[in-house]
Amino acid sequence: MIPYSHQSINDEDVEAVVDVLKSDYLTQGNTVSAFERVVREYTGAEYSVATNSGTSALHLACLALNLNKGDWLWTTPITFVASANCALYCGASVDFVDIDPKTFNMSTNKLKEKLEYAYKNKCLPKVLVVVHFCGLSCDMETIHALSEKFGFSIIEDACHALGGKYRERPIGCCQFSDVTIFSFHPVKSITTGEGGMIVTNNDHLAANIRLLSSHGITREPVMMGQKIDASWYYEQIALGYNYRLTDIQAALGITQMRRIDSFIERRHQIAKQYDVLLSGLPIEAQNRTKNSYSGMHLYVIRLQLDKISKTHSEIFNELRNNGIGVNLHYIPVHLQPWYQRMGFNYGDFPQAEKYYREAMTIPLFPQLPDDNVVIIVEELHKAIQ
Ligand SMILES: *Cc1c(COP(=O)(O)O)cnc(C)c1O
């Protein structure tokens, strides 16, 4: 089976990890801060905090933005469940904004309408989680202008988008957001096994996130309530978590970051081949807008089922049976049983639901060989015609 994604690991990665294993510190040495610096310099953000997953990064971002019971977090229904669950961890409520059928990202028009309605009904969100779906940036300039008008904070869930750009600047520079979070799960742009990172330009948020990522414990005299002059002394000043990344993982992250640009370039090369070789088929690909350089995390196609004699799942199964590891990103979050129990239902976000009836992710990762691209295209032609 050709998988839909696969990590790229080379000898340099292996050696870097082995070096840490042979060193004194497997965690809480200085490799994590070195990795944080690499991501900070790459994105142009001023502060960075490594975490043990993208999910814990989302949780910490919500906590630092003071998301509480009684508050609302809005996100897109077409995302991984973690983009919404982070609100529930904080006791807050979740709502969704339907997608744009062409970009598959949150619709800026729908967001505007929903904000105007929420303003009148006094139920504006405190936090908006935008997801750069497949690596394609959302319309951040417009969304940022709306955040100024309606007074909400913005988290960029850039788990698909590390290595991408928006208006010539790297995703993660936080020009139009409060924080950006990344994941380093093996299917993402770079990997540390499990892992994540939060970047921000806000020193107060960064300090709070760092504190909460490690039990709420500080050794910084300026942050302590009492002045006890003993070298063992530390204080727990908040209820934090153990969301730290290990030095073993960070070492892998550093060597992976050396190859990020070539990873993304190769992803674009394959995507362009798909664009050309699939152009005759009754499918639609994501409309990759001009002002953005996608992180190209996923290549999603939408089947034009009215022009095809088979069903969505027939085509999906046929491809899988023929060795093509297609996938589906994602089942709309509001249709998950956990969310349906909160009152969401079919019909709530029609564009997301229509997308779900038609979507399919085809394989895309840097080491996918050209001859596999040809095989995938042939199988797609056979399955769809
Ligand atoms: C992968 C992913 C996450 C979660 O990241 P983990 O590191 O797996 O916790 C969150 N949001 C999106 C959009 C993702 O793709």
Side-chain angles (χ1 to χ4, degrees):
M1 180 87 80
I2 303 171
Y4 88 87
S5 185
H6 194 274
Q7 68 277 10
S8 303
I9 300 293
N10 69 9
D11 291 343
E12 184 191 27
D13 292 327
V14 173
E15 278 164 30
V17 170
V18 170
D19 285 347
V20 173
L21 286 171
K22 290 178 176 168
S23 76
D24 288 332
Y25 293 99
L26 304 187
T27 190
Q28 296 183 284
N30 52 28
T31 318
V32 170
S33 53
F35 179 41
E36 287 172 342
R37 186 169 57 243
V38 168
V39 174
R40 198 160 64 232
E41 284 169 359
Y42 185 81
T43 57
E46 279 183 60
Y47 305 94
S48 51
V49 181
T51 59
N52 56 10
S53 72
T55 303
S56 53
L58 282 164
H59 185 194
L60 292 177
C62 289
L63 289 170
L65 291 168
N66 218 2
L67 190 73
N68 278 304
K69 193 169 192 297
D71 295 329
W72 286 94
L73 176 147
W74 291 4
T75 189
T76 166
I78 300 298
T79 184
F80 186 56
V81 291
S83 315
N85 287 345
C86 54
L88 306 182
Y89 298 155
C90 300
S93 306
V94 176
D95 203 354
F96 301 93
V97 180
D98 209 352
I99 63 162
D100 178 298
K102 297 286 181 209
T103 65
F104 317 159
N105 274 330
M106 177 186 287
S107 157
T108 313
N109 287 335
K110 291 268 168 56
L111 173 64
K112 196 159 167 264
E113 279 170 26
K114 197 172 172 110
L115 284 166
E116 276 157 8
Y117 179 85
Y119 175 72
K120 286 189 200 119
N121 292 281
K122 299 193 165 43
C123 54
L124 283 167
K126 187 179 234 175
V127 172
L128 181 75
V129 175
V130 295
V131 179
H132 304 314
F133 188 67
C134 303
L136 180 72
S137 178
C138 293
D139 178 6
M140 292 311 295
E141 200 167 21
T142 312
I143 293 171
H144 181 254
L146 290 169
S147 80
E148 304 248 281
K149 182 169 176 198
F150 292 101
F152 56 86
S153 301
I154 301 175
I155 299 174
E156 291 177 72
D157 178 340
C159 288
H160 295 186
L162 180 64
K165 292 191 179 93
Y166 174 68
R167 298 187 181 243
E168 308 295 323
R169 290 188 65 183
I171 298 285
C173 71
C174 298
Q175 186 185 4
F176 296 112
S177 65
D178 296 277
V179 292
T180 300
I181 71 102
F182 298 109
S183 164
F184 309 128
H185 182 277
V187 298
K188 311 292 166 90
S189 325
I190 66 153
T191 190
T192 61
E194 299 279 359
M197 186 91 67
I198 303 168
V199 290
T200 179
N201 294 325
N202 180 317
D203 59 344
H204 175 75
L205 283 179
N208 216 350
I209 286 165
R210 187 163 303 284
L211 183 72
L212 294 169
S213 73
S214 193
H215 309 280
I217 285 174
T218 183
R219 291 174 186 276
E220 302 280 336
V222 290
M223 291 176 85
M224 293 185 191
Q226 297 171 51
K227 295 282 164 254
I228 294 181
D229 192 16
S231 50
W232 66 79
Y233 190 67
Y234 60 84
E235 281 186 2
Q236 187 199 340
I237 57 173
L239 183 61
Y241 300 81
N242 180 351
Y243 281 168
R244 295 186 307 256
L245 193 74
T246 67
D247 284 55
I248 306 168
Q249 294 166 302
L252 180 54
I254 291 168
T255 49
Q256 289 266 302
M257 279 303 286
R258 291 184 190 146
R259 310 203 294 288
I260 176 106
D261 289 338
S262 65
F263 288 164
I264 306 300
E265 275 162 34
R266 174 64 185 152
R267 285 176 174 276
H268 272 269
Q269 206 177 37
I270 297 167
K272 278 181 195 145
Q273 292 183 52
Y274 280 147
D275 288 344
V276 172
L277 297 171
L278 300 176
S279 63
L281 287 173
I283 59 158
E284 276 176 81
Q286 187 181 33
N287 191 347
R288 302 201 290 278
T289 46
K290 283 193 283 302
N291 57 16
S292 167
Y293 176 70
S294 175
M296 220 55 252
H297 170 55
L298 302 172
Y299 197 96
V300 171
I301 57 173
R302 289 183 72 158
L303 304 173
Q304 296 175 316
L305 288 165
D306 54 345
K307 297 180 187 157
I308 304 170
S309 59
K310 295 178 197 156
T311 67
H312 187 212
S313 67
E314 278 168 356
I315 294 168
F316 192 98
N317 292 338
E318 192 174 318
L319 287 163
R320 280 253 176 118
N321 290 338
N322 292 329
I324 313 301
V326 285
N327 215 307
L328 210 167
H329 298 89
Y330 294 88
I331 302 169
V333 179
H334 71 284
L335 298 180
Q336 292 293 349
W338 189 263
Y339 283 83
Q340 288 209 32
R341 230 180 283 165
M342 293 171 0
F344 292 105
N345 216 328
Y346 283 87
D348 288 348
F349 304 100
Q351 290 299 340
E353 291 166 27
K354 182 160 193 295
Y355 165 90
Y356 173 55
R357 288 194 293 272
E358 304 170 351
M360 196 176 292
T361 306
I362 63 176
L364 176 62
F365 54 92
Q367 289 182 332
L368 183 67
D370 283 336
D371 54 357
N372 277 8
V373 173
V374 172
I375 294 169
I376 292 159
V377 168
E378 280 172 8
E379 290 298 337
L380 271 165
H381 277 268
K382 273 195 266 169
I384 290 174
Q385 266 158 9

